[in-house]
Amino acid sequence: MANASQIWVNMPPYLLRLSLLIAFSLFAHSASGQNALHIPETMEGPVYTLTMAPSSHQFFDGVQTDTYGFNGSYLGPTLILHKGEAVQMHVANQIAEPTTVHWHGMHVASEDDGGPHSIIQPGTVWQPDFTVLDNATTFWYHPHLHERTGEHVYRGLAGMIIVRNPVESQLSLSRTYGVDDIPVVIQDWQFDDQRQLIFRQGGAGQRGNTMVVNGTLEPQATLGANVNRLRLLNGSNSRVYMLGLSDNNVFHMIGSDGGLLEAPVQLQRLRLAPGERAEVLIDLAGRSGETLTLMSYSSELTRGEPGGVPQANDPPTPPGSIDGTDFSVLQLVVVDPVTSAIQGIPQTLVTVEELPESTADRVRPMRLDTAGPGPGAPLAINGAVFNMNVINEVVNLGDTEIWEIDNVRGGPHPFYIHDVQFQILDRGGEPPPPEESGWKDVVLVYPGERVRFITQFLDFADPDTPYMYHCHLLGHEDDGMMGAFLVIDPAATSITYSDLPET
Ligand code: C2O
Ligand code: CU
């Protein structure tokens, strides 16, 4: 009787290749369980058409999971924008309830910003237009309806935005989308026995135990043995990640939320809070044939971060929780270099014009606390829980401000401000680390810590429509850990913000 190896030997070559292919794909699917990373398609302007609708997708063999998506069954296309370009958005709402869509990080007028006041009723289309004023970076878009943001994002309504500009285009950086410039939207889901998404309102927000990148479970990206650029976005409702490579090699952070850094920052670990983005370069030269893993070393998150090591007073973690453990985010399979790929990490990137503290017109305190004494009091900012009809702060057009964020209650909160990018002046009295020294729109503020940032409100006065600032843990945001600010032109006469429509 022929043994297995004889069967292989006696097989005609074409059959051998076929069998190996079948054997390999069976192995690839059943043994390692990895799935090729989904790369969202791109959409180029100047007209962008997005339709939000309920859908379903087969994440598990033979089962449809109910989802929401933009133009598809989950997440949305990657919008490619060019600085200086005038764009027209068409955002159709086909889900059965009102929602909004916010261009997270972008510097646009408040009426185009997609905050909770810019409601898109079901069956209608919202059509903001604006000029792209931002420098090259990675932004994202997601719903922002008050009390519903968490669920809408979690069920699949999120997409990436890539802004390009001539300064970035002249740098020796990987920028072939999906080839050596990879969108990495990191989220965590939880499924029930029917393989449907579990969503629970409340607390910091839903945390899952199943990692998804671009909506792919057990994702695997195939990368050339060259320099690769990953655009990391923490699109999770309430999980902080501590990213690192399984071989403990360094990677090079080149961009933070609002743009490129002055020079690449060499890191072994990168903490990424909900809403934050980071662009990193990974040099895989000479490593064809290897497999490594982008991990979250969440056992190193020991300061109360959501998704980190549970603290003494935390409620017990649910069975199967990955909080505080080290887990795989994205497997990286290295193949031969891509032709014309970039080799080497640039020495310098861009000039980040520093905003000197002496130029500030005022200091604005932001106290992250509860709305009152007692254990049941809701989280609030400056004592106020978000109210659709209240303006919490008024900023004068043209001013430079220092915002002083004091976290006096609860765990770490990722503080996010619409409209502007800021520069961190200090964190707990210390200058920010290099990876936080560029333009930012989200900053994780630890309990007992004061973070001060400086920013300028140079455009877009509007006495009617406010911008938001809030905690980007979507459970906290939906519970009202959010405030509204107007930018007004002090030279203009009438201020009508008391006439905000009742909702
Ligand atoms: Cu990314 Cu106001 O949210
Ligand atoms: Cu919070």
Side-chain angles (χ1 to χ4, degrees), residues 269-287:
R269 292 288 188 268
L270 172 65
R271 188 192 60 212
L272 205 64
E276 281 188 306
R277 289 86 61 211
E279 293 181 21
V280 301
L281 299 179
I282 302 180
D283 190 354
L284 297 173
R287 302 189 60 184

Side-chain angles (χ1 to χ4, degrees), residues 379 412-414 471 473 476 481:
L379 287 163
H413 299 285
C471 176
L473 300 178
H476 288 175
M481 197 176 196

Side-chain angles (χ1 to χ4, degrees), residues 211 239 241 294-298 307 322 325-329:
M211 293 308 304
R239 181 177 292 281
Y241 298 96
L294 176 68
M295 299 282 295
S296 178
Y297 293 96
S298 296
I322 56 172
T325 70
D326 299 339
F327 52 84
S328 164
V329 173

Side-chain angles (χ1 to χ4, degrees), residues 52 59 76 90 125 158 186 194 206 219 301 314 316 318 377 386 424 488:
M52 290 175 273
F59 295 102
H90 297 269
V125 182
I186 304 171
Q194 273 67 55
Q206 173 69 47
L301 295 170
D314 285 352
F386 181 68
I424 299 176
I488 58 146

Side-chain angles (χ1 to χ4, degrees), residues 102 104 140 142-144 275 416 418 468 470 472 474 477 482:
H102 167 56
H104 178 126
W140 61 306
H142 63 76
H144 213 304
Y416 169 54
H418 290 214
M468 300 295 118
H470 57 89
H472 218 289
L474 298 183
E477 175 188 339
M482 175 157 70

Side-chain angles (χ1 to χ4, degrees), residues 311-322:
Q311 305 291 291
N313 296 326
D314 285 352
T317 51
S321 166
I322 56 172

